[in-house]
Amino acid sequence: MIAILKKGTTENEIKELTSWFEEQGVRCHLSKGDYQTIIGLIGDTSHIDTELVESLDMIESVRRISEPFKKANRKFHPDNTVIKVGNVTIGDGSFNVMAGPCSIESETQIIEIAKAVKAAGATILRGGAFKPRTSPYAFQGLHEEGIKYLIEAKEETGLPVITEIMDARHLPLFEDVDILQVGARNMQNFELLKALGETDKPVLLKRGLSSTLTELLMSAEYIMASGNPNVILCERGIRTFETATRNTLDVSAVPVLRELSHLPIIVDPSHATGVARYVKPMAMCGTAAGADGLEIEVHTNPKAALSDGAQSLTPAEFEDLMQAVAKIHAAL
Amino acid sequence: MIAILKKGTTENEIKELTSWFEEQGVRCHLSKGDYQTIIGLIGDTSHIDTELVESLDMIESVRRISEPFKKANRKFHPDNTVIKVGNVTIGDGSFNVMAGPCSIESETQIIEIAKAVKAAGATILRGGAFKPRTSPYAFQGLHEEGIKYLIEAKEETGLPVITEIMDARHLPLFEDVDILQVGARNMQNFELLKALGETDKPVLLKRGLSSTLTELLMSAEYIMASGNPNVILCERGIRTFETATRNTLDVSAVPVLRELSHLPIIVDPSHATGVARYVKPMAMCGTAAGADGLEIEVHTNPKAALSDGAQSLTPAEFEDLMQAVAKIHAAL
Amino acid sequence: MIAILKKGTTENEIKELTSWFEEQGVRCHLSKGDYQTIIGLIGDTSHIDTELVESLDMIESVRRISEPFKKANRKFHPDNTVIKVGNVTIGDGSFNVMAGPCSIESETQIIEIAKAVKAAGATILRGGAFKPRTSPYAFQGLHEEGIKYLIEAKEETGLPVITEIMDARHLPLFEDVDILQVGARNMQNFELLKALGETDKPVLLKRGLSSTLTELLMSAEYIMASGNPNVILCERGIRTFETATRNTLDVSAVPVLRELSHLPIIVDPSHATGVARYVKPMAMCGTAAGADGLEIEVHTNPKAALSDGAQSLTPAEFEDLMQAVAKIHAAL
Amino acid sequence: MIAILKKGTTENEIKELTSWFEEQGVRCHLSKGDYQTIIGLIGDTSHIDTELVESLDMIESVRRISEPFKKANRKFHPDNTVIKVGNVTIGDGSFNVMAGPCSIESETQIIEIAKAVKAAGATILRGGAFKPRTSPYAFQGLHEEGIKYLIEAKEETGLPVITEIMDARHLPLFEDVDILQVGARNMQNFELLKALGETDKPVLLKRGLSSTLTELLMSAEYIMASGNPNVILCERGIRTFETATRNTLDVSAVPVLRELSHLPIIVDPSHATGVARYVKPMAMCGTAAGADGLEIEVHTNPKAALSDGAQSLTPAEFEDLMQAVAKIHAAL
């Protein structure tokens, strides 16, 4: 961290400032020019509050040199993290599609869809049992029962499964689940992140609607700092002024995250657009951008889906998407 | 809810559609014009998924006539909700300022600040024991010990107290706290909202960084639908492209929320701006806009604050703010 | 347009309202249900101010059924518009890359770059002579002299050329230019749009930093309504809260615009990202999304570029991009 | 400007870099620490492209120490700029309200409204003759005829007048106009700004919908750098994700601009909210924030207004607003 002092700062003020920094456990290196005095802070500055330092009278500006995330940082971990679930690997250059219904509605429904998405090439089954819904009056998922059906579909098809967890108290219900998903609205539910960090299950962490990529990586850091290195990042659209799509897929997140972090990156075009007919082109974009895989909503009867029917593909549409995506992936 | 059909929709399609709506428990009223066919949906449409309906082939557009929130809606509850904590009332036209440090750091600190803010006219003491921090390496609060100190400050000064809760599992620790605060990042932590809805404690619900006012009211609805009517809304700045302030205080939220809802409204200029010297003018704005009160960060030594020092006022600055705000409130 | 009346609106009020609509040249079709009264407005409603109608006391809500743009609308012009410049066609399924420097700096520079981008497969040469710069102290372009050099490069290489126009008064200087570019900041400079509408030159219209896709199409409509049907739409990134890239490329704009309009669509990944190393993956995304082509900044010596060097590719990087993009295009 | 070099940068690279900076007319001051090497750039750095410098391989980060605006900067011009039009002064602590219709519709209309707003305490008359409308089919204003009526209203009432200019070619028509308004959509129409900078008329410059405050000041700088120091800044709402109001009034712009610049600041609550009943509370906020005045839309018959009727106040509503605002101003 570099702090640039205002002109006219006195020797005494500088002394006081450097003592204060040293009390916080960092060493100071002073560069006095006839132009400007600069303090370089050496050591672990991750707990220093830049906004507070910037607000001090004698400070012109402050700049972090190093990113505030460590364990998620590619600089300290140059090789890609590879995550294994069942016989599937994520992050090693292979391309994995997680597909299934927004909500698990019945045993028949989830098994039928699981077979359909497997036939089309999906390698992981998704399905929601706990559903975060804006309205308390909307369908909230089948909860424990839903997870039971999901595990049956896993046994039936051999596909590893991913489903969302909304509260640390529910963790015991997820024992047979392969990947725990943290939704966009919970990306900064830090108590949940810490609880997941104490497990060893892979966690797919969705970017919050208005979270920067640095904040996404800091949330990954919460999980990793608590002991769980198995984090998968997921871009699922951000909130902007545009209303033609539900959110705006920030596909540039893929190369930016690839550069900053070693964690695998998944793109979710279903939630990003909210419109079934835009899912295929956005899936192709995510693939072209270099993602490690996709998460796609598929339903055998979107019109009857209990949630997010508007953005669900039929199995036939999903098969079409898979073929288009395979061609793009082959072209990379 | 009104659904406008596309031209050329056949009788059979209309029949199929109305049956589908009726299966979902609403009645249909058909208006056929030579211009357009319109279906009015009558009954409780709060669980109908407008995005799904809009995605159907035969639908031109869909429009909710009624807001999706009920218990928070002024239409069904014209009188202002008044919340009592200790001998303080919020929402009855009085003006309450909740003030105190971002983080509780020690018994001495919180008691000293409590006395200072009470002397300046604050009616409620704020102080954080559980701190949501972007970085896992930043100070996370004193937790149980912090709440103990806060309660001591309450006993010492007689001020009711407000502090943030981040996880339903912590609820037992908050028994002597007067108002539970839900932070911006947890505004859509629905499991937490439901747990708070099962208590009878007043809840101050902060607007999420990128949440619409309708979403804020839907989150209030979660608490109220679970049985707790004592919700206070809080505008604390939204995320925009502007970086001169940490967030952008959306002060128009005050008249909009006042119109839509009967719940009390508090403005938090400290988090909205993130800069101590902008807190006073923004506090004056919030007052002029008609808020029921303010939440302000005050610290006896902002430079040494363990969190959010950049936006904290000294007791002297706070006193100055209180005088300015009192003049504005008198002018209304 | 559909206007839904509030319950309790009297016969007299309805009469007054319909007369008022009829004075504005539209016919009214009334649907009275026991549920709600709805007025369908028939005829050309493009000049009716929906916000004003919505603000009337007796109105519950208003909804446009038809889009406000006509000439740019695919509904009224189902076939793709194909634009010809020299021996290049845009919009007929071919893929065109417009490449060159942000600013034209000298005759040698533009000719050298023109040859390089042609060799790599670009079909159109771009280069700025009038530069919109945030600062009045930044390099503003070579103006007339720059256009002269650009035309020389065109003669030397045979490539048609595109360059930005910032003011209608400059039009006479652009006689030999093939495509006139309107920059993001001028997307709603309506006087300029009208002046360009009176020419017959193709116009590449860049989306404003915070313009919706409907607003982009309304600006295209300005040009077309003035008599010039040769408009090319360009997505170049929108302003969001994210700062990892200069702007956020909204690649979902491609399928949305394709659906709404028959005009060709170009993606500009250079301005969207502002960072040279992200240009290639975003170019691949734009191609995968189905754009008709790309606009890319190329400079033989980015470090010495007089503007936008940070996002310019070297000829070698551009060649690499062209090969990647060709593979994606072939995979579609 | 401070450039921080990456570790491992060689002596030769540093030499090359400093030569390159010196070619651009700035001197370099080198601070070599064992921690980091920093180059301080001395002299006029306003034309140095920070993004380009940041993109160089050997650069860790770059930071401007000084703001890129000079003439608009309070640092170099500590006293408030005071602008005189007729017998009205703006920026000297007095409070001026500019009121009138969005569009001038007839001689009778503008004179009637002028008298009404004068009676209520407005000191400047506003009225649009050239109207920037999203749709080419919407009413575009009476143009020359409108300005004629506005001047008649000025003569009738003695109020100085403000009206919008959209194109430098129209300047001769504005000879008798007191203040030229630049609309939000033209804030970065740099050719128009330069043309206005060559006049000596006061210019009210509206902030663009997605412009930062720094960009607003850079646009003011364009006018001032061309020779015209008489610029008035106007906050009129920014584009965000929230749709309850047309735009979001960023009232914190007032204290931020006050700190950065010496230019007068006006708040426009009519365009910010787009809803007549929110104009009064937002006018009160703007006043409480410390603005030098307001711009308010008033129409004797909002329902019949040819543009922006939804946000126009009646003369009675305007009078009520003026009384509320006067009380707030007196309380400051």
Side-chain angles (χ1 to χ4, degrees):
Chain A
M1 192 183 283
I2 298 279
I4 302 163
L5 305 190
K6 283 192 182 148
K7 284 180 194 173
T9 305
T10 65
E11 283 303 307
N12 264 351
E13 287 174 322
I14 295 177
K15 220 165 155 183
E16 192 194 340
L17 185 68
T18 54
S19 314
W20 180 67
F21 279 129
E22 282 159 5
E23 279 164 29
Q24 298 183 57
V26 293
R27 281 177 304 123
C28 293
H29 175 271
L30 222 65
S31 302
K32 280 188 208 176
D34 42 37
Y35 178 66
Q36 202 97 23
T37 298
I38 291 161
I39 302 181
L41 300 180
I42 307 172
D44 180 8
T45 61
S46 59
H47 60 284
I48 304 260
D49 181 343
T50 49
E51 289 189 338
L52 171 58
V53 177
E54 202 142 33
S55 75
L56 301 178
D57 277 348
M58 68 196 83
I59 298 290
E60 179 74 51
S61 75
V62 179
R63 183 107 185 193
R64 275 195 189 284
I65 301 301
S66 49
E67 291 89 5
F69 45 92
K70 307 287 171 205
K71 292 181 191 293
N73 199 327
R74 187 176 283 280
K75 275 191 195 153
F76 309 124
H77 188 309
D79 294 335
N80 286 338
T81 283
V82 177
I83 288 172
K84 295 193 186 179
V85 278
N87 53 4
V88 169
T89 49
I90 307 171
D92 61 349
S94 58
F95 193 78
N96 288 286
V97 179
M98 310 174 174
C102 181
S103 293
I104 300 161
E105 295 165 18
S106 71
E107 195 181 338
T108 323
Q109 177 242 26
I110 185 70
I111 292 179
E112 186 185 355
I113 296 177
K115 289 180 177 168
V117 300
K118 187 183 181 185
T123 51
I124 297 168
L125 175 64
R126 63 150 290 155
F130 289 86
K131 298 301 310 167
R133 303 299 299 272
T134 305
S135 167
Y137 309 119
F139 175 62
Q140 309 265 326
L142 293 182
H143 297 177
E144 187 160 5
E145 197 188 344
I147 294 181
K148 203 187 81 187
Y149 297 154
L150 185 67
I151 300 306
E152 281 164 24
K154 170 185 174 174
E155 285 162 6
E156 191 82 24
T157 58
L159 292 177
V161 294
I162 176 171
T163 193
E164 179 162 351
I165 183 164
M166 291 173 64
D167 192 296
R169 293 171 299 177
H170 303 154
L171 254 176
L173 302 174
F174 288 73
E175 207 166 316
D176 297 325
V177 169
D178 299 284
I179 308 178
L180 303 176
Q181 178 170 309
V182 175
R185 294 178 181 85
N186 276 321
M187 193 201 87
Q188 293 192 318
N189 179 342
F190 299 120
E191 297 299 315
L192 176 61
L193 300 180
K194 284 191 244 178
L196 299 182
E198 286 159 17
T199 77
D200 60 357
K201 281 200 185 295
V203 178
L204 182 132
L205 179 65
K206 291 200 157 186
R207 180 183 187 183
L209 261 76
S210 67
S211 298
T212 63
L213 296 172
T214 299
E215 287 168 344
L216 172 62
L217 291 168
M218 290 309 289
S219 285
E221 193 79 12
Y222 257 97
I223 299 169
M224 300 172 89
S226 298
N228 183 351
N230 301 307
V231 180
I232 304 166
L233 306 171
C234 180
E235 161 62 31
R236 46 79 70 218
I238 56 174
R239 185 161 270 185
T240 68
F241 61 84
E242 178 60 68
T243 56
T245 45
R246 186 197 284 166
N247 295 123
T248 299
L249 184 69
D250 176 11
V251 80
S252 55
V254 179
V256 174
L257 290 173
R258 188 69 78 207
E259 190 174 276
L260 294 175
S261 179
H262 51 85
L263 298 172
I265 304 160
I266 297 291
V267 166
D268 171 354
S270 303
H271 284 87
T273 62
V275 179
R277 65 189 183 277
Y278 301 146
V279 171
K280 180 181 160 188
M282 291 306 98
M284 294 163 75
C285 283
T287 310
D292 294 295
L294 302 170
E295 189 171 25
I296 307 278
E297 294 200 351
V298 178
H299 199 285
T300 39
N301 183 4
K303 213 177 82 178
L306 292 179
S307 62
D308 277 347
Q311 72 201 34
S312 293
L313 302 186
T314 62
E317 290 165 338
F318 178 63
E319 212 184 311
D320 178 47
L321 175 151
M322 288 297 284
Q323 287 170 7
V325 157
K327 280 185 203 155
I328 298 281
H329 195 250
L332 294 182
Chain B
M1 191 182 281
I2 298 280
I4 301 164
L5 304 190
K6 281 190 184 149
K7 283 180 195 172
T9 305
T10 64
E11 283 303 308
N12 264 351
E13 288 174 321
I14 294 177
K15 221 164 153 182
E16 194 193 337
L17 184 68
T18 53
S19 313
W20 180 66
F21 280 129
E22 281 158 5
E23 279 164 30
Q24 298 184 59
V26 293
R27 281 178 302 123
C28 293
H29 176 270
L30 221 66
S31 303
K32 279 188 208 176
D34 41 39
Y35 178 66
Q36 203 97 23
T37 297
I38 291 161
I39 301 181
L41 300 180
I42 307 171
D44 181 8
T45 61
S46 59
H47 60 283
I48 304 261
D49 181 341
T50 50
E51 288 189 338
L52 171 57
V53 176
E54 202 143 33
S55 76
L56 301 178
D57 278 347
M58 69 196 82
I59 298 289
E60 179 74 51
S61 75
V62 180
R63 182 107 184 195
R64 274 194 191 283
I65 301 299
S66 48
E67 291 90 5
F69 45 91
K70 307 289 171 202
K71 292 179 192 293
N73 198 326
R74 188 177 282 280
K75 275 191 196 153
F76 309 125
H77 188 309
D79 294 335
N80 286 338
T81 283
V82 177
I83 289 173
K84 295 190 186 182
V85 278
N87 52 3
V88 169
T89 50
I90 307 171
D92 62 348
S94 58
F95 194 78
N96 287 285
V97 179
M98 309 172 174
C102 181
S103 293
I104 299 161
E105 295 165 18
S106 71
E107 193 181 340
T108 322
Q109 175 242 25
I110 186 69
I111 291 178
E112 186 185 356
I113 297 178
K115 288 180 179 169
V117 299
K118 186 183 180 186
T123 51
I124 297 168
L125 175 65
R126 64 149 289 155
F130 289 87
K131 298 301 310 166
R133 303 298 299 271
T134 304
S135 167
Y137 310 119
F139 175 62
Q140 310 266 324
L142 294 183
H143 297 177
E144 187 162 3
E145 196 187 343
I147 294 182
K148 202 186 82 186
Y149 297 154
L150 184 67
I151 300 305
E152 282 165 22
K154 171 184 172 174
E155 285 162 5
E156 190 83 25
T157 58
L159 291 177
V161 293
I162 176 170
T163 192
E164 179 162 350
I165 182 162
M166 291 174 64
D167 192 296
R169 294 171 299 180
H170 303 152
L171 254 175
L173 302 173
F174 288 72
E175 207 167 317
D176 297 325
V177 169
D178 299 285
I179 307 179
L180 303 176
Q181 178 170 308
V182 176
R185 294 177 181 86
N186 277 321
M187 192 201 87
Q188 293 193 318
N189 180 342
F190 299 121
E191 297 298 315
L192 177 60
L193 299 181
K194 284 191 246 178
L196 299 182
E198 286 158 16
T199 75
D200 60 356
K201 281 199 186 295
V203 178
L204 183 132
L205 179 66
K206 291 200 158 186
R207 181 183 185 182
L209 263 75
S210 68
S211 298
T212 62
L213 296 173
T214 298
E215 288 168 344
L216 172 61
L217 290 169
M218 290 309 289
S219 285
E221 193 79 12
Y222 257 97
I223 300 169
M224 299 172 90
S226 297
N228 183 351
N230 300 308
V231 180
I232 304 166
L233 307 170
C234 181
E235 161 63 33
R236 47 78 71 218
I238 57 173
R239 184 160 271 185
T240 69
F241 61 84
E242 178 60 69
T243 56
T245 45
R246 185 199 285 167
N247 294 121
T248 299
L249 183 68
D250 177 11
V251 80
S252 54
V254 179
V256 174
L257 290 173
R258 187 68 79 206
E259 189 174 277
L260 294 175
S261 180
H262 50 86
L263 298 171
I265 306 159
I266 295 292
V267 166
D268 171 353
S270 302
H271 284 87
T273 61
V275 179
R277 65 189 182 277
Y278 301 147
V279 172
K280 179 182 160 189
M282 290 305 100
M284 293 163 76
C285 283
T287 309
D292 295 295
L294 303 169
E295 190 170 25
I296 307 278
E297 294 199 350
V298 178
H299 198 286
T300 39
N301 183 3
K303 213 178 83 177
L306 293 179
S307 62
D308 278 347
Q311 71 201 35
S312 293
L313 302 186
T314 62
E317 290 165 339
F318 177 64
E319 211 183 313
D320 178 46
L321 174 151
M322 288 297 283
Q323 287 170 6
V325 157
K327 279 186 204 154
I328 298 280
H329 194 249
L332 294 182
Chain C
M1 190 183 281
I2 297 280
I4 301 164
L5 304 191
K6 283 191 183 149
K7 283 180 194 172
T9 305
T10 64
E11 283 303 307
N12 264 351
E13 286 173 324
I14 295 178
K15 220 164 154 182
E16 194 194 337
L17 185 68
T18 53
S19 312
W20 180 65
F21 279 129
E22 282 159 5
E23 277 164 31
Q24 297 184 57
V26 293
R27 282 178 301 124
C28 293
H29 175 270
L30 222 66
S31 302
K32 281 187 207 175
D34 41 38
Y35 179 65
Q36 203 96 22
T37 297
I38 291 159
I39 301 181
L41 299 180
I42 308 170
D44 180 9
T45 61
S46 58
H47 60 286
I48 304 260
D49 181 342
T50 50
E51 289 189 338
L52 171 57
V53 176
E54 202 143 32
S55 75
L56 300 178
D57 278 347
M58 68 196 83
I59 298 289
E60 180 74 52
S61 75
V62 179
R63 183 103 184 195
R64 275 195 189 282
I65 301 300
S66 48
E67 291 91 4
F69 46 91
K70 308 288 171 202
K71 291 180 192 293
N73 198 324
R74 188 176 282 280
K75 276 191 197 154
F76 309 125
H77 188 309
D79 294 335
N80 286 339
T81 283
V82 177
I83 288 173
K84 295 191 185 181
V85 277
N87 52 4
V88 169
T89 50
I90 307 171
D92 62 348
S94 57
F95 194 79
N96 287 286
V97 179
M98 309 171 175
C102 181
S103 293
I104 301 160
E105 296 166 17
S106 71
E107 195 181 336
T108 322
Q109 176 241 26
I110 185 70
I111 291 177
E112 186 185 356
I113 297 177
K115 288 180 177 169
V117 299
K118 187 183 179 184
T123 51
I124 297 168
L125 175 65
R126 64 150 288 154
F130 289 87
K131 299 300 311 166
R133 304 299 299 272
T134 304
S135 166
Y137 309 120
F139 176 62
Q140 309 266 325
L142 294 183
H143 296 178
E144 187 161 2
E145 197 187 342
I147 294 182
K148 204 187 82 187
Y149 298 155
L150 184 67
I151 300 305
E152 281 164 23
K154 170 184 174 173
E155 283 162 7
E156 191 82 24
T157 59
L159 292 176
V161 294
I162 177 171
T163 193
E164 179 163 351
I165 183 163
M166 290 173 65
D167 192 296
R169 293 171 299 179
H170 304 153
L171 254 176
L173 302 173
F174 288 73
E175 208 167 314
D176 297 325
V177 169
D178 298 286
I179 308 178
L180 303 177
Q181 178 170 310
V182 176
R185 294 178 181 84
N186 276 320
M187 193 201 86
Q188 293 193 318
N189 180 341
F190 299 121
E191 297 298 315
L192 176 61
L193 300 180
K194 284 191 245 179
L196 299 182
E198 285 159 16
T199 76
D200 60 357
K201 280 198 186 299
V203 177
L204 183 132
L205 180 66
K206 291 200 157 185
R207 181 182 185 183
L209 263 76
S210 66
S211 298
T212 63
L213 296 173
T214 299
E215 288 168 344
L216 172 61
L217 290 169
M218 290 308 290
S219 285
E221 192 80 12
Y222 257 97
I223 300 169
M224 300 172 91
S226 298
N228 183 351
N230 302 307
V231 180
I232 304 166
L233 306 170
C234 180
E235 162 62 32
R236 46 78 72 217
I238 56 173
R239 184 161 271 185
T240 68
F241 61 84
E242 178 61 69
T243 56
T245 45
R246 185 198 285 167
N247 295 121
T248 299
L249 184 68
D250 177 11
V251 80
S252 55
V254 179
V256 174
L257 289 173
R258 188 67 79 209
E259 190 175 276
L260 294 175
S261 180
H262 50 86
L263 298 171
I265 304 160
I266 296 292
V267 166
D268 171 354
S270 303
H271 284 87
T273 61
V275 179
R277 66 189 182 277
Y278 301 146
V279 171
K280 179 182 160 187
M282 290 305 101
M284 293 163 75
C285 283
T287 309
D292 294 295
L294 302 168
E295 190 170 26
I296 307 279
E297 293 199 352
V298 178
H299 198 284
T300 39
N301 183 4
K303 212 178 82 178
L306 293 179
S307 61
D308 277 346
Q311 72 202 36
S312 292
L313 303 186
T314 62
E317 291 165 338
F318 178 64
E319 212 184 310
D320 178 47
L321 174 152
M322 288 297 283
Q323 287 170 7
V325 158
K327 280 185 203 154
I328 298 280
H329 195 249
L332 295 182
Chain D
M1 191 183 282
I2 298 279
I4 301 163
L5 303 190
K6 283 192 182 146
K7 284 180 194 174
T9 304
T10 64
E11 284 302 309
N12 264 351
E13 287 173 322
I14 294 176
K15 220 166 155 183
E16 193 193 339
L17 185 68
T18 53
S19 315
W20 180 67
F21 279 128
E22 282 159 4
E23 278 164 30
Q24 298 182 59
V26 293
R27 282 178 303 123
C28 293
H29 176 271
L30 223 64
S31 303
K32 280 188 207 176
D34 41 38
Y35 177 66
Q36 202 97 24
T37 298
I38 291 161
I39 302 181
L41 300 181
I42 307 172
D44 180 8
T45 62
S46 58
H47 61 282
I48 304 259
D49 181 344
T50 50
E51 289 190 337
L52 172 57
V53 176
E54 201 143 34
S55 75
L56 300 177
D57 277 348
M58 68 196 83
I59 298 288
E60 180 73 52
S61 75
V62 180
R63 182 106 184 194
R64 276 195 188 283
I65 301 299
S66 49
E67 292 90 5
F69 45 93
K70 307 287 171 205
K71 292 180 192 292
N73 199 325
R74 186 176 284 280
K75 276 190 194 152
F76 309 125
H77 188 309
D79 294 334
N80 286 338
T81 282
V82 177
I83 288 173
K84 294 192 186 179
V85 278
N87 52 4
V88 169
T89 51
I90 307 172
D92 61 349
S94 58
F95 194 77
N96 287 286
V97 179
M98 309 172 175
C102 181
S103 293
I104 299 161
E105 295 166 18
S106 71
E107 196 182 337
T108 322
Q109 177 242 22
I110 186 71
I111 292 179
E112 186 185 356
I113 297 176
K115 289 180 178 169
V117 300
K118 188 183 179 185
T123 51
I124 296 168
L125 175 65
R126 63 150 289 156
F130 289 87
K131 299 300 310 166
R133 303 299 298 273
T134 304
S135 166
Y137 309 120
F139 175 63
Q140 310 265 325
L142 294 183
H143 297 178
E144 188 162 3
E145 196 187 344
I147 294 182
K148 203 186 84 187
Y149 298 155
L150 185 65
I151 301 306
E152 280 165 23
K154 170 184 173 174
E155 284 162 7
E156 191 83 24
T157 58
L159 293 176
V161 294
I162 176 170
T163 192
E164 179 162 352
I165 183 163
M166 291 173 64
D167 192 295
R169 292 171 300 177
H170 303 153
L171 254 176
L173 302 174
F174 288 72
E175 206 166 316
D176 297 325
V177 169
D178 299 284
I179 308 178
L180 303 176
Q181 178 169 309
V182 175
R185 295 177 180 84
N186 277 320
M187 193 201 86
Q188 292 193 319
N189 179 343
F190 300 120
E191 297 299 314
L192 176 60
L193 299 179
K194 284 190 244 178
L196 299 182
E198 286 159 17
T199 75
D200 59 358
K201 281 198 185 295
V203 177
L204 182 133
L205 180 66
K206 292 201 156 184
R207 181 182 185 183
L209 262 77
S210 66
S211 298
T212 63
L213 295 173
T214 299
E215 287 169 343
L216 172 62
L217 290 169
M218 289 308 289
S219 285
E221 193 79 11
Y222 257 96
I223 299 169
M224 299 171 91
S226 297
N228 183 352
N230 301 307
V231 180
I232 304 166
L233 306 170
C234 180
E235 161 63 31
R236 46 78 71 218
I238 57 174
R239 185 161 270 184
T240 69
F241 60 84
E242 177 60 70
T243 56
T245 44
R246 186 198 285 167
N247 296 121
T248 299
L249 184 69
D250 177 11
V251 79
S252 54
V254 179
V256 174
L257 290 173
R258 187 69 79 208
E259 190 173 277
L260 294 175
S261 179
H262 50 85
L263 297 172
I265 305 161
I266 296 292
V267 166
D268 172 354
S270 303
H271 284 88
T273 61
V275 178
R277 64 188 183 277
Y278 301 146
V279 172
K280 180 182 160 187
M282 290 307 99
M284 292 163 75
C285 282
T287 309
D292 295 295
L294 303 169
E295 190 172 25
I296 307 277
E297 293 200 352
V298 178
H299 198 284
T300 39
N301 183 4
K303 213 178 82 179
L306 293 179
S307 62
D308 278 346
Q311 73 201 36
S312 292
L313 302 186
T314 62
E317 290 165 338
F318 178 63
E319 212 183 310
D320 177 47
L321 175 153
M322 288 298 283
Q323 288 171 6
V325 158
K327 281 185 203 155
I328 298 281
H329 195 249
L332 294 182

